[in-house]
């Protein structure tokens, strides 16, 4: 290596500051032969010439557009390398990455909106899917009441990925369950029976469309269905006494799993 006693050059630290590259990276590139300083001082310090700096500029540019170090070395050192072809291939990869990032950005926007609104449907499709009794203010009310809970977060994450068709499927599943509950009560299905317990399990599965429902939480929900005027009106509108009957079958099922309904908590 030429001696730099009579030739000016840039030290590793100076090149690092000029190019915004870490000293560690420069040392690594030196070790692998990607960019070696052409000069050394009498004291053994590395010095980069103007030609070295030009090579480093190209390395930085190629690295910023995503080329790997092996590919950069081939582009710089192989006289037969198809540089435009390599850059076009990288441009294609960059375009694909941009598209993925745009999709990710759109998904994040939907997730944020779902956390803030709960339901990403305009008023018209809400009425068409959930029926004439639906109040479009209910999601905002739920957000104010439950927005700081884990269940709201889980609900929002499910909501973010749903459009009208997915919400229609959820609504249809709930309606089918309501009819099955009414029919079972009419048929005299007893709490604690296999048929009743099967309906309780089906309720947990269907309700998981909103958020995961533990058995203790289901007991609390059954209690709410019976005592809350809005929920009681819904279930008793299907069959008179259905809200109370549903609570009984949930409590009986809970007991078979070692849960005391009177002590059940939302957990």
């Amino acid at each position: 290596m030429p001696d730099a006693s009579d030739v000016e050059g840039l030290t590793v630290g100076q090149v690092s500051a000029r190019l915004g590259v870490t000293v560690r990276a420069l040392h690594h590139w030196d070790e692998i032969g990607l960019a070696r300083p052409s000069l050394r001082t009498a004291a053994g310090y590395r010095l980069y010439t103007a030609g070295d700096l030009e090579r480093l500029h190209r390395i930085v540019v190629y690295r910023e557009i995503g080329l790997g170090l092996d590919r950069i070395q081939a582009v710089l050192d192989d006289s037969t390398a198809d540089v435009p072809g390599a850059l076009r291939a990288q441009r294609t990869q960059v375009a694909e990455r941009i598209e993925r990032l745009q999709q990710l950005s759109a998904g994040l926007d939907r997730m944020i909106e779902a956390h803030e609104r709960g339901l990403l449907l305009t008023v018209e499709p809400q009425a068409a899917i959930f029926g004439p009794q639906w109040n479009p203010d209910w999601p905002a009310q739920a957000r104010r009441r439950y927005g700081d809970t884990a269940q709201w977060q889980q609900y929002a994450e499910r909501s973010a990925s749903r459009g009208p068709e997915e919400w229609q499927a959820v609504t249809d599943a709930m309606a089918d369950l309501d009819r099955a509950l009414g029919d079972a009560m009419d048929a005299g299905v007893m709490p604690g029976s296999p048929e009743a317990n099967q309906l309780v399990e089906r309720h947990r599965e269907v309700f998981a469309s909103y958020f995961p429902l533990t058995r203790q939480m289901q007991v609390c929900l059954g209690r709410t269905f019976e005592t809350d005027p809005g929920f009681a009106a819904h279930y008793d509108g299907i069959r008179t006494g259905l809200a109370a009957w549903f609570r009984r079958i949930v409590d009986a099922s809970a007991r078979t799993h070692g849960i005391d309904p009177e002590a059940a908590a939302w957990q």
Side-chain angles (χ1 to χ4, degrees):
M1 179 176 289
D3 191 300
S5 53
D6 297 320
V7 182
E8 291 188 359
L10 296 177
T11 65
V12 173
Q14 289 171 325
V15 171
S16 172
R18 180 171 295 193
L19 297 183
V21 177
T22 66
V23 170
R24 182 177 180 180
L26 291 171
H27 285 163
H28 177 61
W29 296 350
D30 183 4
E31 290 171 1
I32 65 175
L34 178 60
R36 285 176 173 156
S38 298
L39 301 175
R40 280 188 185 274
T41 68
Y45 294 108
R46 299 178 179 86
L47 291 178
Y48 291 87
T49 65
D52 298 334
L53 201 61
E54 175 60 29
R55 181 180 177 92
L56 285 168
H57 272 295
R58 295 182 68 191
I59 292 171
V60 170
V61 170
Y62 290 149
R63 189 178 67 159
E64 286 181 350
I65 65 174
L67 288 180
L69 295 182
D70 291 343
R71 188 63 175 143
I72 292 173
Q73 188 148 17
V75 167
L76 294 178
D77 296 339
D78 186 352
S79 61
T80 65
D82 179 10
V83 177
L87 296 178
R88 289 190 185 96
Q90 191 62 24
R91 181 181 61 188
T92 298
Q93 293 181 25
V94 169
E96 292 172 350
R97 192 181 310 145
I98 289 171
E99 183 178 0
R100 290 195 299 271
L101 289 173
Q102 288 174 335
Q103 293 172 351
L104 176 60
S105 178
L108 288 170
D109 286 342
R110 285 185 61 84
M111 188 73 75
I112 292 168
E113 189 177 5
H115 275 273
E116 293 176 344
R117 291 178 48 200
L119 193 61
L120 303 186
L121 297 175
T122 58
V123 173
E124 185 174 347
Q126 286 184 44
I129 293 170
F130 303 124
Q133 303 302 318
W134 175 259
N135 182 347
D137 291 333
W138 283 342
Q141 294 173 11
R143 170 68 176 85
R144 289 192 293 270
R145 185 174 181 180
Y146 305 111
D148 60 349
T149 66
Q151 287 72 43
W152 177 267
Q153 295 171 11
Q154 293 161 338
Y155 165 73
E157 289 166 4
R158 286 160 172 75
S159 178
S161 63
R162 287 182 182 147
E165 292 183 358
E166 290 79 12
W167 276 117
Q168 186 65 64
V170 171
T171 302
D172 291 345
M174 291 298 297
D176 289 344
L177 174 60
D178 287 348
R179 284 190 290 270
L181 290 170
D183 291 344
M185 191 186 78
D186 285 346
V189 171
M190 297 298 295
S193 67
E195 295 83 357
N197 290 340
Q198 185 176 15
L199 284 170
V200 172
E201 291 305 308
R202 180 177 170 186
H203 173 261
R204 290 181 64 235
E205 292 173 3
V206 172
F207 200 89
S209 298
Y210 302 104
F211 54 81
L213 192 68
T214 67
R215 297 187 192 283
Q216 291 210 48
M217 291 163 63
Q218 189 181 33
V219 170
C220 296
L221 204 60
R223 190 184 306 150
T224 300
F225 287 173
E226 183 181 23
T227 59
D228 181 272
F231 283 114
H234 168 75
Y235 283 99
D236 289 344
I238 299 170
R239 296 288 194 282
T240 300
L242 184 60
W245 181 83
F246 178 74
R247 178 179 178 178
R248 289 198 300 273
I249 68 170
V250 168
D251 287 355
S253 176
R255 290 189 187 95
T256 66
H257 291 89
I259 298 170
D260 177 5
E262 298 303 321
W266 189 262
Q267 61 184 25

